[in-house]
Amino acid sequence: MHVELENFERNHVRDLVEPPPNCRPIGTKWPGVSSKEGIDYEETFAPVARLEAIRILLAFAGSKGFKLQQMDVKSASLNGFIEEEVYVRQPPGFESARFPDRVYKLRKAFYGLKQAPRAWYARLKSFLLKSGFVMGSVDKTLFLLSRGGDTLIVQIYVDDIIFGGSSHALFFLGLQIKQGLEGTFVHQAKYTRDILKKFNMGDSKPMTTPMSTNTALDADEDGEAVDQKEFRGMIGSLLYLTATRPDIQFTVCLCARYQASPRTSHRQVVNRIFRYLKFTPELGLWYSSGSSLSLRGFLDADHAGCRIDRKSTSGTCQLLGTSLVSWSSRKQASVPLSTIEAEYVAAASCCSQLLWMKATLVISALAKNPVLHSRTKHIDVRFHFLRDHYEKGDIDLIHVEGVDNALIKGEIESQWTILIAILV
């Protein structure tokens, strides 16, 4: 406590003042938050990097031979100045002997304030822009500095920063990143072992696949209920693991649909995912050095695959050269009337993601492109969206024939797989 308070004094975080009229100071405790929106602050939003943006950076750095370094900012000296007037009570047990009734007026945001992330982002952004960095017009957490033939890239996630350096191994947002001459390996082996231990699956029998090919989940209303809190905890842990494990994306997202009322049948599938993780704890993503920066996307959809509401599931993945940087498995918002309609929904989603990735790579605006998100409802809009970008020459649509489809997708049967290539 004393060290932290000395930090505040040294960095001029606050001033001890008489409380002004109608002042409602925030109570303090270690830790705690009691500030109210509209009274103590107006805005808290701070841009954070999307995980696929971080993976794009890792793949780009690997292709260019960049070495990355990570910094976790925890010092109060780096907190940003706040726009609103905020008053807080003196911490219990640390009141001023001379002025016990005074309050602190904050000059900078500190831990616990809901507006602290926004204030920190604003200060860091201002510093980087003044230093000559260019901010991404699509990804506001990406900054680029070019001087001659040298390039420095900075990606921020609140108080976690990844940037060019000379380190060969680092942790970033729980991701283990190992860089070498041949490429970059990204994995979550430590996290995988931690969750296996947390949910008592460390001694389970390993499985070679995350789910059986003939598994068909439904609500199973007559099945035996299981602990909802534990089930949700397992799903949440697995969802974070999908940051580097696309092989479990579909199965985890399928099980996540039944968190409201989990049954034994659902828990058995989740247990199998953990047993698969026991078999593959160090599986991750490999980004080769010298890889091209071409963009490609693959997509597929199962027509009316959900047994409850007959909605389809879109499956997409996007590659930067040979590096897999983005993927998704998501149930569509509407019920398609045909297979081709389900494919259009998936294709629009895949195309939007590729265009966003292209804009991220070139740090150029996407304002001229009407990119749609996954909740767009009307199939004709998706059709015109794809046709428009096809006619502009932004993308090319390639149907993957059945033989190649089987090679790409293994044992999974599907009528269609479409390759979307970004033309640059």
Side-chain angles (χ1 to χ4, degrees), residues 24 27 91 150 231 257 268 306 315:
R24 298 180 59 183
D150 297 326
F231 186 85
R257 300 175 187 175
Q268 289 173 346
C306 181

Side-chain angles (χ1 to χ4, degrees), residues 165-180:
S166 58
S167 175
H168 290 265
L170 57 109
F171 277 83
F172 186 71
L173 300 178
L175 309 182
Q176 294 172 250
I177 304 168
K178 185 176 181 180
Q179 292 187 283

Side-chain angles (χ1 to χ4, degrees), residues 121-162:
Y121 170 79
R123 185 179 185 188
L124 178 59
K125 181 182 75 171
S126 176
F127 170 78
L128 292 174
L129 293 178
K130 288 179 181 178
S131 300
F133 282 81
V134 176
M135 181 174 65
S137 57
V138 175
D139 184 355
K140 302 299 183 181
T141 65
L142 178 65
F143 296 84
L144 180 71
L145 177 66
S146 296
R147 294 284 172 83
D150 297 326
T151 301
L152 177 61
I153 300 176
V154 174
Q155 184 93 60
I156 62 177
Y157 193 101
V158 189
D159 59 359
D160 283 291
I161 304 172
I162 189 169

Side-chain angles (χ1 to χ4, degrees), residues 12-66:
H12 309 291
V13 173
R14 59 192 185 173
D15 295 318
L16 191 62
V17 300
E18 292 287 345
N22 302 319
C23 170
R24 298 180 59 183
I26 301 170
T28 57
K29 58 182 179 179
W30 302 86
V33 175
S34 60
S35 53
K36 302 295 184 183
E37 183 175 4
I39 299 176
D40 302 302
Y41 62 89
E42 296 293 338
E43 184 63 70
T44 64
F45 172 75
V48 294
R50 295 165 57 170
L51 281 174
E52 54 261 58
I54 295 169
R55 290 191 292 261
I56 290 173
L57 172 60
L58 295 175
F60 181 82
S63 70
K64 296 295 185 180
F66 291 172

Side-chain angles (χ1 to χ4, degrees), residues 342-361:
E343 296 291 345
Y344 269 127
V345 174
S349 174
C350 186
C351 182
S352 299
Q353 182 70 1
L354 284 169
L355 292 172
W356 175 84
M357 291 169 61
K358 179 182 178 182
T360 299
L361 285 170

